[in-house]
Amino acid sequence: MTTNPAATPVPVEDVQGDRRWMDMHEHYVREAHEKEPEVLFVGDSLILQLAQTQIWTEKFEPMHCLNFGCGGDATQHVLWRLQNGELKNLAPKVVVFLAGTNNHGHTAEQVAGGIEACVRTIVQQQPQAKVLVLTIPPRGHQTNPLRVKNEEVNRRMASLLQSIPSVQLVDVCQGLLQSDGTINHNDMYDYLHLTSSGYAKFCEPLYCALAEILKMQDATALAMDAADNLVETPD
Amino acid sequence: MVLSQRQREELKSYLAKLILKGKQVALGIPTNALILDCKTRWNSTYLMIERFIQQYPAIIAATVDDRIRKKDQFKKLQRVDDDDFNKMETFVQVAGLLYKMTTAMSTERRPTAGMVLPMMGKLRAHFEPTPDDSAFAKSLKTAVQNDLKKRYQNNTEQDFLEEATALDARFKTFCKGEDVWERIADKITSITSIKKEPELLELHSESEMVDQVEVKKEPTEKEGAVHARKTALEEIFLDEDELVITHITPPVPIRVRVQNEILKNKAIADYLRSNGYESALEAFQKEAEMPGEIEKKYTGLLEKKWTSVIRLQKKVMDLEAKLAEAEKEFQSGGPNKKERSPSEWIPRPPARYSLSGHRSPITRVLFHPVYSVMVSASEDATIKIWDYETGDFERTLKGHTDAVQDVSFDHTGKLLASCSADMTIKLWDFQTFENIKTMHGHDHNVSSVHFMPNGDFLISASRDKTIKMWELATGYCVKTFTGHREWVRTVRVNQDGSLLASCSNDQTVRVWVVANKECKAELREHEHVVECIAWAPESCNGHVNEAMGAEKKGRSGPFLLSGSRDKTIKMWDISTGVCIMTLVGHDNWIRGVVWHPGGKYIISASDDKTLRVWDYKNKRCQKTLEAHQHFCTSIDFHKSAPYVITGSVDQTVKVWECR
């Protein structure tokens, strides 16, 4: 049985020389020790950049969140962080996870395995928490091998994660692919990372799932608001 | 440099132009230049007079301006007397319509014969002298009228004009005669070989309805002009257009109509499915031509839409109430101050000061018991001192190596105690501002500290689940209170120093007897971490009893408030260990609670970014202040001055005046 490189925890090597990745990890460990989040976000740059958006400030911050995203992280890097302190001393109600798009050189099967390893670590160390695993969003302007691979990872995840009771797969890809299969520049400014309008689409299913778990009044209010906007003028 | 006579004159007139412009702007008059190049038509005369009247106030203002008022210049000006001025105004009013008409005729893109009769009608009505008219006006009007009477007298001319008017989409309605349509129908049938159908006569009423919808305003070059002036034609028929336009409902674009239809059908389909009407659903789907699957987002949509009217109504009412309150506040700065006693003064927006300087979230704010200063503690490991009356920053106390969680003054205000996530408690001399003692002993983050009334001892609470009492003289811990099962967040001593109250992550509030460390009461009703507590001052006891209404015997208290992450504030009677009141309203964790010194109100700070003032006798939230941009973490009320201070994760401290 060969080991899965995507599921073997390994820190990021400081190639550039400023030690940023390790500093970020240490900062996260400190935050995990001091803060009392109810929702924890873990993953790659797509998670990290979410904390810089307006939608984060307005919708997610009131939920008392912590963001442990690291740009460029592949599943094995996130796994290393999870196993080295980022899940210690806190007890969130929900953990949101997204990684996999940076696993270059790994097959779809390996990437799915890597994600499963991360999820199992979270479930083990945070048994009280519900885990929301997000599908990997599409990338590249037009269809390309990476996009195809990510789609396969998403499919494999759907079946792999079914066996773990506290885990839920949330599909955040809705609306990001246009009818002709291309990605709009207004949704992904570099055909990988999301703009604020891209994040709005990304966050809708995520927010609904979170709100349902946290049983917040806001969720119903949000849904009601949406319904109200569909009320048309009298004929 | 010496200016020549001519240069001086030019300079003066240039200056005059500038001054005039200044006056025009100040008076809100269009900033047109006075001297114009005009062609010599009667319209020009009209325009000149109109312009003069418009600019008159500015001219007068300019002429009396000191800068150009020189004796000789001033006298040279020909003055306009009142009588002349009145005549000018009358002329403008009377002749205005004529001016508009000539403009309409000559500048409209498509001046048609159909315009003539409507215009003539307007002219005749306008130039009919009324009893109110001055002699000047009357003579003007009569002169014009007499001329008008001679025009378009010929019958064939009249007929032709009538038909032209009837056929012009814009002026149909002016045509009152039915026989016009007869004539038109006749002419059409004579030209074409269609048999004269009675339905043709119905045409005009139908087409009238259709065309009313299509009344278009002629777009002209003038539309782009600065004041978005109406075209001459629009101005003339302003009243008639008004009538037509207000009866039109804007057409709903087809695309939107179709979308709405689909939405309605999906909502109905979902309702049918979720209530088990399978066969009805099938039939409906077939008839509505809907594909099989109904997406998740339509679940419950019908119900939501059903109740949407009520919700929108509620929203509207809430907004109206908010608006009314805001307007009242804006106009009178809250209910009249004179009519309210100080015990009713509550913090009101806007904040008096918003003090920045801390580089991390604020954890605690506290008033000095004697001087007009306050302190703020922050996660940036510093304590800052501010003057709350002037808003000045005084100094920073540095020493802690991690977030400062709480601060406390002794009753003289000479000593300040602070505790920190660095697990220490520090004592500061408030005259020299030096750190005179550091106390170690807790095994974890020290989250709360409070002086005993006698000033010889300090109480602290920690994440290590214990409460400790410290002797200031020696700096040693002399008592440890154990019992809480989790992080103890806040500890507060009561006024006489006999009781301690503490609250914890274990969701309980405990009351301890200081003397023997006994836990007198364990109050277990909150559903989440209890963050803050506050003992009621003596002045409140009477009010609390009042609030509780008719009781067999009055409650002796003491009374305690607790604020929790379950978004509620609870009031407890310690003598019986019962929760006597729960205040609900905040949308997020409660971070701080204080009693109003007057005893009637409770003020709370929350992670929903607001401050709330509670009239607890009526169990209602009297006022909500949008206090900060982020979580409000701390609040304090001065015991004798009308000030409230708040601290927030947004790194600012705000001072609020009470009135």
Side-chain angles (χ1 to χ4, degrees), chain B residues 342-409:
Chain B
S343 67
E344 315 230 316
W345 291 356
I346 56 173
R348 291 186 194 275
R352 174 95 180 263
Y353 299 113
S354 180
L355 308 167
S356 26
H358 278 295
R359 297 210 188 114
S360 290
I362 313 288
T363 51
R364 189 82 171 92
V365 288
L366 186 67
F367 280 110
H368 192 278
V370 180
Y371 306 128
S372 69
V373 293
M374 62 183 209
V375 297
S376 57
S378 163
E379 285 181 11
D380 64 9
T382 68
I383 299 161
K384 286 186 190 278
I385 303 170
W386 317 78
D387 180 323
Y388 58 80
E389 278 181 344
T390 61
D392 289 337
F393 164 72
E394 305 241 315
R395 60 176 64 238
T396 304
L397 301 178
K398 291 188 189 165
H400 280 296
T401 54
D402 203 340
V404 184
Q405 307 283 56
D406 199 1
V407 280
S408 178
F409 280 109

Side-chain angles (χ1 to χ4, degrees), chain B residues 280-304:
Chain B
L281 176 63
E282 243 184 81
F284 180 69
Q285 276 186 313
K286 209 188 286 181
E287 266 192 304
E289 287 166 23
M290 253 200 300
E293 268 316 295
I294 298 159
E295 295 98 301
K296 267 230 173 79
K297 67 177 168 187
Y298 299 113
T299 24
L301 186 61
L302 192 69
E303 197 174 314
K304 284 179 201 151

Side-chain angles (χ1 to χ4, degrees), chain B residues 38-65:
Chain B
C38 322
K39 296 200 193 105
T40 47
R41 292 160 54 202
W42 82 266
N43 266 5
S44 319
T45 318
Y46 171 82
L47 277 173
M48 275 195 280
I49 298 184
E50 190 202 46
R51 177 65 53 79
F52 182 82
I53 294 177
Q54 193 187 56
Q55 298 290 332
Y56 195 58
I59 298 168
I60 293 297
T63 54
V64 299
D65 186 299

